[in-house]
Amino acid sequence: MESDLEILAKTIYGEARGELNNFGLAPLIAVGNVVMNRFRKKFANSVADICLAPHQFSCWNHEDPNYEKIKNLDESATIFKTCLNVAKNLIEEKWPDLTDGCDHYHAKYVKPFWAAYRTPKRIFGNHLFYSLKSF
């Protein structure tokens, strides 16, 4: 069974790896912040359970093209090592919450029902971040 660290790193990889070259680490950190905020807000009992919950992070949906990329991931790839470093620093609480408590996000090119009539709290790269649940 994979650890919280590995699952979080793979989630960051699946959700935001394409942001690194254009926008730096901030979008990767922000995606990880959402997972960690959900953990702090008791969405589930572990970081892995939050990441793997059905239909929460699209990269884990079997029909999503990123799912195959995660399953066939070369863990020695530089981009994955970067995601692993981001995940480690977030789990160890060494880096700040760039999202200011956000627990949801979506890519700019999708329009989820839950985002209707809501204003994003933060924007990093091509992702919009929202806080839907208070502590």
Side-chain angles (χ1 to χ4, degrees), residues 2-3 19 21 31 33-34 38-39 41 45 62 65 73 86 89 93 102 107-108 110-111 117-118 121 130:
E2 293 179 287
S3 69
E19 302 282 275
N21 287 339
V31 165
N33 288 150
V34 166
R38 287 183 179 197
F39 180 68
K41 293 178 183 184
N45 293 323
H62 292 256
L73 176 61
V86 169
N89 281 291
E93 298 182 352
C102 289
K108 289 179 179 178
V110 297
K111 304 288 183 214
Y117 308 107
R118 290 192 165 95
K121 194 171 184 181
Y130 305 80

Side-chain angles (χ1 to χ4, degrees), residues 6-87:
E6 293 166 316
I7 295 293
L8 178 57
K10 288 180 177 182
T11 302
I12 293 167
Y13 175 87
E15 295 286 312
R17 72 184 176 283
E19 302 282 275
L20 184 63
N21 287 339
N22 292 326
F23 302 104
L25 283 177
L28 283 71
I29 294 169
V31 165
N33 288 150
V34 166
V35 174
M36 298 309 294
N37 287 335
R38 287 183 179 197
F39 180 68
R40 282 189 278 283
K41 293 178 183 184
K42 311 279 190 234
F43 277 55
N45 293 323
S46 73
V47 170
D49 287 346
I50 288 164
C51 293
L52 299 174
H55 307 292
Q56 295 302 301
F57 296 91
S58 62
C59 67
W60 292 106
N61 297 339
H62 292 256
E63 67 279 0
D64 190 285
N66 287 303
Y67 180 75
E68 286 303 315
K69 291 180 178 169
I70 289 173
K71 290 300 176 187
N72 299 311
L73 176 61
D74 174 4
E75 294 188 14
S76 68
T78 302
I79 183 63
F80 182 68
K81 288 181 180 179
T82 299
C83 294
L84 197 58
N85 182 53
V86 169

Side-chain angles (χ1 to χ4, degrees), residues 97-108:
D97 178 5
L98 302 180
T99 70
D100 192 28
C102 289
D103 48 38
H104 285 71
Y105 69 89
H106 65 84
K108 289 179 179 178

